[in-house]
Amino acid sequence: MKKTAIILGASGLTGNLLLHRLLDHPDYDSIKLFSRKLLGLNHPKVSEFIGDLLQLEEFASDFKGDEVFCCIGTTAKQTPDRALYRQIDFGIPVAAAQLCKKNHIPSFLVISAMGADAKSKIFYNRTKGEMEQSVLDVKIPHTYILRPSLIGGNRQESRLGERLGTIFAKLINPLLLGSLRKYRMIEAATIAYAMVEVAQEKPQETILLSDKIASWGNK
């Protein structure tokens, strides 16, 4: 049977690459996009649901499918208000997981970040770690948390720090071997491909570090 995928964050770098991967995938005949503004993609597989993702429970009747891919995330620069940052990076993924449970969706995949730690003294790492723990507490049968390192790719917005980081990462990537592979920069396309592969294969591992994501995404 063909499947229905739900994507949150399809307008972002990784989410958009994921969307196009799913459009080309023969196992999916329906892709639901939940966002605050229209992506404007005219495709027979795609349905768009527009509203306030901070009130995700309002989408409950339409939030039905086989798999949820949560690519939601912001940055300190985009969202300097910490309360709003937490609403986005913690609140939206957790609300999505709760809707998965409510609507009996068996698979939930979410992008977190390397360094996520609920006990961290760093606000951003702690927020990601608390999000992960709350998502796992929902106990969706097939839950996968992806923790990429620095993400490479062509973004619409200009981020000087990320550009410099990308240049540096490309220089040191070949030196990061063995247990250090998880610190290598990873391309957004690799993450997108990995999410689809993991959704199909359903491995036993729940938390996937960057090196594991790369192995799935480069199959």
Side-chain angles (χ1 to χ4, degrees), residues 6-35:
I6 292 172
I7 304 177
L8 294 98
S11 62
L13 174 62
T14 306
N16 196 257
L17 290 165
L18 169 66
L19 167 60
H20 285 86
R21 176 62 173 161
L22 292 176
L23 289 176
D24 292 335
H25 202 290
D27 288 354
Y28 297 86
D29 65 357
S30 177
I31 302 167
K32 296 181 177 181
L33 310 181
F34 291 83
S35 56

Side-chain angles (χ1 to χ4, degrees), residues 13 150-155 166 185-189:
L13 174 62
L150 179 66
I151 300 174
N154 296 317
R155 291 180 172 83
T166 297
M185 184 183 73
I186 186 168
E187 292 295 322

Side-chain angles (χ1 to χ4, degrees), residues 80-158:
D81 183 294
R82 287 192 172 189
L84 180 57
Y85 181 100
R86 183 175 173 82
Q87 283 183 287
I88 296 170
D89 270 41
F90 174 89
I92 295 175
V94 173
Q98 290 168 343
L99 280 181
C100 269
K101 188 75 169 182
K102 179 179 180 179
N103 289 343
H104 307 290
I105 301 173
S107 297
F108 183 79
L109 299 90
V110 60
I111 298 176
S112 181
M114 177 172 286
D117 182 354
K119 297 181 179 179
S120 175
K121 293 182 179 179
I122 301 172
F123 170 76
Y124 305 103
N125 291 353
R126 185 170 69 251
T127 299
K128 289 291 191 184
E130 290 173 345
M131 177 274 289
E132 291 184 2
Q133 188 57 60
S134 293
V135 164
L136 291 172
D137 286 346
V138 179
K139 299 188 184 304
I140 299 161
H142 305 292
T143 301
Y144 299 102
I145 294 170
L146 286 76
R147 290 182 183 170
S149 56
L150 179 66
I151 300 174
N154 296 317
R155 291 180 172 83
Q156 293 181 348
E157 70 273 22
S158 177

